[in-house]
Amino acid sequence: MRTRAPRGFTLIEVLIATVLLAAGLTLAFATIGAATKTTQRGESMAAHSERIRAVEGFLRRRLEAARPVPFNFDVDTGAAQRFLGESGRLRFVADLPDYLGRGGPYLHDFVVEDGGERITLALSMVQAGKTIEEDVERPPELLVEGLESARFRYRSYMPDGTLGDWQDEWETGEQLPLLVEVTLTGANGEVWPPVVVSLPLAGATIGFAPQVTQ
């Protein structure tokens, strides 16, 4: 009895197998690439979110440390300037932690720059109600960048004792506002929950100037 010789693969079968293998490898690499990009995007978003939270925490701690200490005096009226606020800038005095400098009262000057894309902080020493220049000039520190917008607002009591509306400008420089709100919007348009900070020493300045009016 004659034994049939084993049949090999035809050229067409080899080509089909090669095509299927190539398609499988392409799909596998595409899946791995997509997963890697998703992971990187998630890590980037997490890092950005953590950065925003760190900035919000820093602003909260600095505002809570605000003191009713003059950092300048109005040239025309002689009134002490203890807190000046705008929608894109706020200035006040707080003790500087040792890890940020030499300690003691410093003027904190927060500025929203580049149309709201970043916030910087400039620090200047305060002595005897005056902001003084140090031997070594401190360039402003970058707190956060890559934002769509950032805004400060202020609130205090009305003359009748009721709580007033939020204001974009704080012009009663002799006293501290009761509340300060910080609103940040990410570059993707996501509006973060406003950070509302109560200034513990605001009540100490009530007698310095009339309450703010609308």
Side-chain angles (χ1 to χ4, degrees):
M1 181 175 180
R2 298 178 61 184
T3 304
R4 180 180 297 180
R7 188 176 67 88
F9 294 105
T10 66
L11 179 59
I12 294 178
E13 290 174 333
V14 172
L15 290 175
I16 292 175
T18 303
V19 170
L20 292 176
L21 177 61
L25 290 175
T26 300
L27 179 61
F29 283 122
T31 302
I32 293 173
T36 300
K37 291 180 179 179
T38 300
T39 301
Q40 292 175 342
R41 185 163 53 249
E43 291 176 349
S44 177
M45 292 177 62
H48 182 68
S49 299
E50 184 60 32
R51 175 61 171 162
I52 295 295
R53 292 190 184 94
V55 171
E56 291 176 343
F58 180 81
L59 285 167
R60 180 182 295 277
R61 291 190 296 272
R62 293 291 81 217
L63 283 164
E64 289 176 345
R67 297 174 52 190
V69 174
F71 57 84
N72 207 348
F73 292 87
D74 189 283
V75 177
D76 297 325
T77 64
Q81 295 179 335
R82 296 182 171 87
F83 193 105
L84 296 178
E86 305 169 20
S87 61
R89 185 181 185 184
L90 64 88
R91 286 166 285 175
F92 59 90
V93 176
D95 286 337
L96 196 65
D98 292 337
Y99 70 87
L100 291 178
R102 293 185 295 179
Y106 272 76
L107 171 64
H108 290 54
D109 188 355
F110 290 94
V111 180
V112 178
E113 299 181 349
D114 298 334
E117 293 184 1
R118 48 189 253 155
I119 300 177
T120 61
L121 168 62
L123 296 167
S124 302
M125 184 178 292
V126 175
Q127 288 184 356
K130 289 286 187 178
T131 302
I132 64 173
E133 295 184 3
E134 298 186 60
D135 297 335
V136 179
E137 184 179 355
R138 290 171 174 261
E141 298 285 344
L142 177 63
L143 289 186
V144 64
E145 61 182 348
L147 300 174
E148 181 179 289
S149 65
R151 182 182 66 174
F152 305 121
R153 292 202 303 173
Y154 316 92
R155 198 177 192 185
S156 191
Y157 290 116
M158 300 291 289
D160 60 3
T162 61
L163 193 61
D165 296 329
W166 286 107
Q167 302 179 26
D168 290 328
E169 293 190 13
W170 181 260
E171 298 178 345
T172 314
E174 288 185 293
Q175 68 181 80
L176 276 60
L178 181 67
L179 300 170
V180 176
E181 178 191 71
V182 184
T183 303
L184 303 177
T185 303
N188 59 357
E190 179 186 3
V191 180
W192 288 71
V195 178
V196 180
V197 184
S198 175
L199 276 60
L201 298 181
T205 62
I206 292 178
F208 290 136
Q211 293 292 341
V212 64
T213 57
Q214 291 181 332

